[in-house]
Amino acid sequence: MFNLGGIEIQEQIGMTSMPQKAASAWSGALEGKLVGATYKPIAYVGTQVVKGVNHIFIAEQTLIVATPERHIVLVTINEFDGNYSIVGIDRII
């Protein structure tokens, strides 16, 4: 891991596995909680210490519309006091 602007970049090992805390953040904040889009993690970027810890992912977003739209997005999930919440979903492409 190395630090980039307060973000601890995770060594990339592919998405066949991710650190346990990252997996918990992903499932705790996203699974079954968003309507209108699905998300598939592509890479776990790393963490950022804020009020709690932000877990940062690159993901594929599929918008559920008449003709599904796919985008690459940056998903930031905050872990604080055992709770997970989405901080942002920002389109990359």
Side-chain angles (χ1 to χ4, degrees), residues 47-68:
T47 59
Q48 179 182 35
V49 177
V50 291
K51 183 174 181 181
V53 175
N54 283 346
H55 296 276
I56 303 163
F57 300 84
I58 295 173
E60 176 186 50
Q61 174 193 61
T62 303
L63 297 177
I64 303 169
V65 292
T67 303

Side-chain angles (χ1 to χ4, degrees), residues 26 38-42 58-62 70-73 75:
W26 184 267
T38 60
Y39 295 87
K40 177 182 174 186
I42 296 171
I58 295 173
E60 176 186 50
Q61 174 193 61
T62 303
R70 294 174 49 201
H71 304 281
I72 302 299
V73 295
V75 178

Side-chain angles (χ1 to χ4, degrees), residues 15-29:
M15 286 309 293
T16 56
S17 68
M18 70 173 90
Q20 180 59 49
K21 286 192 172 264
S24 295
W26 184 267
S27 63

Side-chain angles (χ1 to χ4, degrees), residues 27-44:
S27 63
L30 286 173
E31 290 187 3
K33 296 184 179 172
L34 295 178
V35 176
T38 60
Y39 295 87
K40 177 182 174 186
I42 296 171
Y44 177 59

